Amino acid sequence: MFFSDLTLWLDGHGSDWGQRGTDWEGGLRQLEDAPSPVLYLTLSQYHHAILADSSRQGMKLYFGDGTVEQVTPEVREKARAFMQQTLERDWPGYIGGLIADGKLRTA
């Protein structure tokens, strides 16, 4: 789940973060400062733009060769699938390493 997905969902219900009294930037800071494991991922500008887009109609991406791509729900889903595959590949080893190094305990 991305903030952009939640923003789009709120917009689809005639609302936004401010109308709901939510300081999403404050929430993001809380997530960043929380004492929990964090795995930083490197994304291409392409995937970052798609995953950050919260527009109803989907943005248009303009490339240096003159091509234009409309970000459709299918394009967004492919970007999400890419992110999910990356997390499924990298997260278990990351968490396993923290446990092995004694930096994280299991309950």
PDB file of all heavy atoms in Angstrom, residues 39-42 81-95:
ATOM      1  N   LEU A  39      13.868  -1.354   5.050  1.00  0.00           N
ATOM      2  CA  LEU A  39      14.654  -1.777   3.910  1.00  0.00           C
ATOM      3  C   LEU A  39      14.510  -0.722   2.826  1.00  0.00           C
ATOM      4  O   LEU A  39      13.409  -0.467   2.348  1.00  0.00           O
ATOM      5  CB  LEU A  39      14.160  -3.128   3.389  1.00  0.00           C
ATOM      6  CG  LEU A  39      14.839  -3.686   2.148  1.00  0.00           C
ATOM      7  CD1 LEU A  39      16.308  -3.997   2.441  1.00  0.00           C
ATOM      8  CD2 LEU A  39      14.131  -4.961   1.693  1.00  0.00           C
ATOM      9  N   TYR A  40      15.600  -0.057   2.514  1.00  0.00           N
ATOM     10  CA  TYR A  40      15.572   0.956   1.467  1.00  0.00           C
ATOM     11  C   TYR A  40      15.775   0.283   0.126  1.00  0.00           C
ATOM     12  O   TYR A  40      16.654  -0.571  -0.032  1.00  0.00           O
ATOM     13  CB  TYR A  40      16.666   2.008   1.699  1.00  0.00           C
ATOM     14  CG  TYR A  40      16.366   2.893   2.877  1.00  0.00           C
ATOM     15  CD1 TYR A  40      16.938   2.640   4.116  1.00  0.00           C
ATOM     16  CD2 TYR A  40      15.487   3.964   2.754  1.00  0.00           C
ATOM     17  CE1 TYR A  40      16.660   3.437   5.206  1.00  0.00           C
ATOM     18  CE2 TYR A  40      15.196   4.764   3.845  1.00  0.00           C
ATOM     19  CZ  TYR A  40      15.785   4.496   5.066  1.00  0.00           C
ATOM     20  OH  TYR A  40      15.497   5.290   6.145  1.00  0.00           O
ATOM     21  N   LEU A  41      14.949   0.650  -0.825  1.00  0.00           N
ATOM     22  CA  LEU A  41      15.016   0.082  -2.163  1.00  0.00           C
ATOM     23  C   LEU A  41      15.404   1.155  -3.166  1.00  0.00           C
ATOM     24  O   LEU A  41      15.028   2.315  -3.015  1.00  0.00           O
ATOM     25  CB  LEU A  41      13.661  -0.508  -2.562  1.00  0.00           C
ATOM     26  CG  LEU A  41      13.094  -1.587  -1.653  1.00  0.00           C
ATOM     27  CD1 LEU A  41      11.680  -1.929  -2.063  1.00  0.00           C
ATOM     28  CD2 LEU A  41      13.975  -2.819  -1.678  1.00  0.00           C
ATOM     29  N   THR A  42      16.106   0.746  -4.163  1.00  0.00           N
ATOM     30  CA  THR A  42      16.435   1.656  -5.253  1.00  0.00           C
ATOM     31  C   THR A  42      15.411   1.448  -6.358  1.00  0.00           C
ATOM     32  O   THR A  42      15.223   0.331  -6.836  1.00  0.00           O
ATOM     33  CB  THR A  42      17.849   1.370  -5.795  1.00  0.00           C
ATOM     34  OG1 THR A  42      18.777   1.517  -4.727  1.00  0.00           O
ATOM     35  CG2 THR A  42      18.203   2.317  -6.908  1.00  0.00           C
ATOM     36  N   ALA A  81       3.587  -4.928  -9.008  1.00  0.00           N
ATOM     37  CA  ALA A  81       4.067  -6.308  -9.058  1.00  0.00           C
ATOM     38  C   ALA A  81       5.599  -6.345  -9.010  1.00  0.00           C
ATOM     39  O   ALA A  81       6.184  -7.193  -8.331  1.00  0.00           O
ATOM     40  CB  ALA A  81       3.553  -7.004 -10.320  1.00  0.00           C
ATOM     41  N   PHE A  82       6.238  -5.408  -9.705  1.00  0.00           N
ATOM     42  CA  PHE A  82       7.697  -5.314  -9.679  1.00  0.00           C
ATOM     43  C   PHE A  82       8.177  -5.047  -8.257  1.00  0.00           C
ATOM     44  O   PHE A  82       9.110  -5.693  -7.768  1.00  0.00           O
ATOM     45  CB  PHE A  82       8.159  -4.197 -10.625  1.00  0.00           C
ATOM     46  CG  PHE A  82       9.619  -3.872 -10.493  1.00  0.00           C
ATOM     47  CD1 PHE A  82      10.581  -4.691 -11.055  1.00  0.00           C
ATOM     48  CD2 PHE A  82      10.021  -2.751  -9.791  1.00  0.00           C
ATOM     49  CE1 PHE A  82      11.927  -4.395 -10.923  1.00  0.00           C
ATOM     50  CE2 PHE A  82      11.365  -2.436  -9.654  1.00  0.00           C
ATOM     51  CZ  PHE A  82      12.316  -3.268 -10.216  1.00  0.00           C
ATOM     52  N   MET A  83       7.520  -4.115  -7.563  1.00  0.00           N
ATOM     53  CA  MET A  83       7.883  -3.784  -6.193  1.00  0.00           C
ATOM     54  C   MET A  83       7.666  -4.990  -5.287  1.00  0.00           C
ATOM     55  O   MET A  83       8.508  -5.308  -4.446  1.00  0.00           O
ATOM     56  CB  MET A  83       7.063  -2.595  -5.698  1.00  0.00           C
ATOM     57  CG  MET A  83       7.300  -2.259  -4.242  1.00  0.00           C
ATOM     58  SD  MET A  83       8.933  -1.627  -3.921  1.00  0.00           S
ATOM     59  CE  MET A  83       8.723   0.023  -4.492  1.00  0.00           C
ATOM     60  N   GLN A  84       6.559  -5.683  -5.451  1.00  0.00           N
ATOM     61  CA  GLN A  84       6.276  -6.858  -4.629  1.00  0.00           C
ATOM     62  C   GLN A  84       7.320  -7.941  -4.852  1.00  0.00           C
ATOM     63  O   GLN A  84       7.805  -8.550  -3.888  1.00  0.00           O
ATOM     64  CB  GLN A  84       4.886  -7.409  -4.949  1.00  0.00           C
ATOM     65  CG  GLN A  84       4.523  -8.616  -4.108  1.00  0.00           C
ATOM     66  CD  GLN A  84       3.119  -9.116  -4.364  1.00  0.00           C
ATOM     67  OE1 GLN A  84       2.287  -8.426  -4.928  1.00  0.00           O
ATOM     68  NE2 GLN A  84       2.854 -10.332  -3.948  1.00  0.00           N
ATOM     69  N   GLN A  85       7.697  -8.204  -6.090  1.00  0.00           N
ATOM     70  CA  GLN A  85       8.723  -9.204  -6.376  1.00  0.00           C
ATOM     71  C   GLN A  85      10.051  -8.824  -5.720  1.00  0.00           C
ATOM     72  O   GLN A  85      10.751  -9.674  -5.174  1.00  0.00           O
ATOM     73  CB  GLN A  85       8.912  -9.354  -7.888  1.00  0.00           C
ATOM     74  CG  GLN A  85       7.751 -10.005  -8.585  1.00  0.00           C
ATOM     75  CD  GLN A  85       7.857  -9.884 -10.104  1.00  0.00           C
ATOM     76  OE1 GLN A  85       8.725  -9.216 -10.639  1.00  0.00           O
ATOM     77  NE2 GLN A  85       6.930 -10.534 -10.791  1.00  0.00           N
ATOM     78  N   THR A  86      10.385  -7.539  -5.766  1.00  0.00           N
ATOM     79  CA  THR A  86      11.622  -7.068  -5.157  1.00  0.00           C
ATOM     80  C   THR A  86      11.592  -7.287  -3.646  1.00  0.00           C
ATOM     81  O   THR A  86      12.565  -7.778  -3.054  1.00  0.00           O
ATOM     82  CB  THR A  86      11.855  -5.580  -5.479  1.00  0.00           C
ATOM     83  OG1 THR A  86      11.904  -5.419  -6.896  1.00  0.00           O
ATOM     84  CG2 THR A  86      13.139  -5.060  -4.876  1.00  0.00           C
ATOM     85  N   LEU A  87      10.479  -6.942  -3.016  1.00  0.00           N
ATOM     86  CA  LEU A  87      10.361  -7.143  -1.563  1.00  0.00           C
ATOM     87  C   LEU A  87      10.376  -8.618  -1.196  1.00  0.00           C
ATOM     88  O   LEU A  87      11.019  -9.013  -0.223  1.00  0.00           O
ATOM     89  CB  LEU A  87       9.090  -6.483  -1.041  1.00  0.00           C
ATOM     90  CG  LEU A  87       9.116  -4.965  -0.994  1.00  0.00           C
ATOM     91  CD1 LEU A  87       7.726  -4.417  -0.690  1.00  0.00           C
ATOM     92  CD2 LEU A  87      10.124  -4.473   0.021  1.00  0.00           C
ATOM     93  N   GLU A  88       9.677  -9.442  -1.968  1.00  0.00           N
ATOM     94  CA  GLU A  88       9.658 -10.877  -1.679  1.00  0.00           C
ATOM     95  C   GLU A  88      11.052 -11.479  -1.823  1.00  0.00           C
ATOM     96  O   GLU A  88      11.400 -12.416  -1.105  1.00  0.00           O
ATOM     97  CB  GLU A  88       8.668 -11.590  -2.596  1.00  0.00           C
ATOM     98  CG  GLU A  88       7.229 -11.328  -2.230  1.00  0.00           C
ATOM     99  CD  GLU A  88       6.229 -11.894  -3.230  1.00  0.00           C
ATOM    100  OE1 GLU A  88       6.647 -12.395  -4.306  1.00  0.00           O
ATOM    101  OE2 GLU A  88       5.021 -11.810  -2.946  1.00  0.00           O
ATOM    102  N   ARG A  89      11.846 -10.923  -2.714  1.00  0.00           N
ATOM    103  CA  ARG A  89      13.207 -11.407  -2.916  1.00  0.00           C
ATOM    104  C   ARG A  89      14.145 -10.922  -1.807  1.00  0.00           C
ATOM    105  O   ARG A  89      14.953 -11.695  -1.285  1.00  0.00           O
ATOM    106  CB  ARG A  89      13.717 -10.931  -4.278  1.00  0.00           C
ATOM    107  CG  ARG A  89      15.133 -11.404  -4.603  1.00  0.00           C
ATOM    108  CD  ARG A  89      15.709 -10.687  -5.795  1.00  0.00           C
ATOM    109  NE  ARG A  89      15.958  -9.296  -5.437  1.00  0.00           N
ATOM    110  CZ  ARG A  89      15.795  -8.277  -6.273  1.00  0.00           C
ATOM    111  NH1 ARG A  89      15.377  -8.470  -7.505  1.00  0.00           N
ATOM    112  NH2 ARG A  89      16.041  -7.038  -5.877  1.00  0.00           N
ATOM    113  N   ASP A  90      14.063  -9.647  -1.428  1.00  0.00           N
ATOM    114  CA  ASP A  90      15.061  -9.031  -0.559  1.00  0.00           C
ATOM    115  C   ASP A  90      14.708  -9.019   0.924  1.00  0.00           C
ATOM    116  O   ASP A  90      15.600  -9.047   1.765  1.00  0.00           O
ATOM    117  CB  ASP A  90      15.340  -7.589  -1.009  1.00  0.00           C
ATOM    118  CG  ASP A  90      15.961  -7.530  -2.395  1.00  0.00           C
ATOM    119  OD1 ASP A  90      16.410  -8.572  -2.906  1.00  0.00           O
ATOM    120  OD2 ASP A  90      15.999  -6.427  -2.974  1.00  0.00           O
ATOM    121  N   TRP A  91      13.434  -8.936   1.273  1.00  0.00           N
ATOM    122  CA  TRP A  91      13.041  -8.776   2.671  1.00  0.00           C
ATOM    123  C   TRP A  91      13.431  -9.965   3.548  1.00  0.00           C
ATOM    124  O   TRP A  91      13.994  -9.766   4.640  1.00  0.00           O
ATOM    125  CB  TRP A  91      11.540  -8.499   2.769  1.00  0.00           C
ATOM    126  CG  TRP A  91      11.068  -8.207   4.154  1.00  0.00           C
ATOM    127  CD1 TRP A  91      10.419  -9.056   4.996  1.00  0.00           C
ATOM    128  CD2 TRP A  91      11.223  -6.978   4.877  1.00  0.00           C
ATOM    129  NE1 TRP A  91      10.144  -8.437   6.191  1.00  0.00           N
ATOM    130  CE2 TRP A  91      10.625  -7.151   6.139  1.00  0.00           C
ATOM    131  CE3 TRP A  91      11.796  -5.748   4.581  1.00  0.00           C
ATOM    132  CZ2 TRP A  91      10.606  -6.162   7.105  1.00  0.00           C
ATOM    133  CZ3 TRP A  91      11.765  -4.758   5.547  1.00  0.00           C
ATOM    134  CH2 TRP A  91      11.176  -4.960   6.784  1.00  0.00           C
ATOM    135  N   PRO A  92      13.178 -11.219   3.149  1.00  0.00           N
ATOM    136  CA  PRO A  92      13.525 -12.335   4.038  1.00  0.00           C
ATOM    137  C   PRO A  92      15.008 -12.373   4.403  1.00  0.00           C
ATOM    138  O   PRO A  92      15.355 -12.601   5.568  1.00  0.00           O
ATOM    139  CB  PRO A  92      13.115 -13.581   3.234  1.00  0.00           C
ATOM    140  CG  PRO A  92      12.041 -13.088   2.320  1.00  0.00           C
ATOM    141  CD  PRO A  92      12.467 -11.689   1.940  1.00  0.00           C
ATOM    142  N   GLY A  93      15.880 -12.148   3.446  1.00  0.00           N
ATOM    143  CA  GLY A  93      17.314 -12.146   3.742  1.00  0.00           C
ATOM    144  C   GLY A  93      17.715 -11.006   4.651  1.00  0.00           C
ATOM    145  O   GLY A  93      18.561 -11.164   5.543  1.00  0.00           O
ATOM    146  N   TYR A  94      17.085  -9.855   4.440  1.00  0.00           N
ATOM    147  CA  TYR A  94      17.372  -8.687   5.280  1.00  0.00           C
ATOM    148  C   TYR A  94      16.973  -8.964   6.725  1.00  0.00           C
ATOM    149  O   TYR A  94      17.767  -8.775   7.658  1.00  0.00           O
ATOM    150  CB  TYR A  94      16.637  -7.469   4.728  1.00  0.00           C
ATOM    151  CG  TYR A  94      16.672  -6.267   5.628  1.00  0.00           C
ATOM    152  CD1 TYR A  94      17.866  -5.586   5.869  1.00  0.00           C
ATOM    153  CD2 TYR A  94      15.516  -5.812   6.234  1.00  0.00           C
ATOM    154  CE1 TYR A  94      17.900  -4.481   6.702  1.00  0.00           C
ATOM    155  CE2 TYR A  94      15.546  -4.699   7.065  1.00  0.00           C
ATOM    156  CZ  TYR A  94      16.727  -4.042   7.294  1.00  0.00           C
ATOM    157  OH  TYR A  94      16.762  -2.952   8.120  1.00  0.00           O
ATOM    158  N   ILE A  95      15.756  -9.442   6.935  1.00  0.00           N
ATOM    159  CA  ILE A  95      15.272  -9.733   8.287  1.00  0.00           C
ATOM    160  C   ILE A  95      16.083 -10.872   8.899  1.00  0.00           C
ATOM    161  O   ILE A  95      16.459 -10.823  10.070  1.00  0.00           O
ATOM    162  CB  ILE A  95      13.763 -10.064   8.279  1.00  0.00           C
ATOM    163  CG1 ILE A  95      12.953  -8.820   7.917  1.00  0.00           C
ATOM    164  CG2 ILE A  95      13.310 -10.643   9.608  1.00  0.00           C
ATOM    165  CD1 ILE A  95      13.086  -7.677   8.907  1.00  0.00           C
TER     166      ILE A  95
END
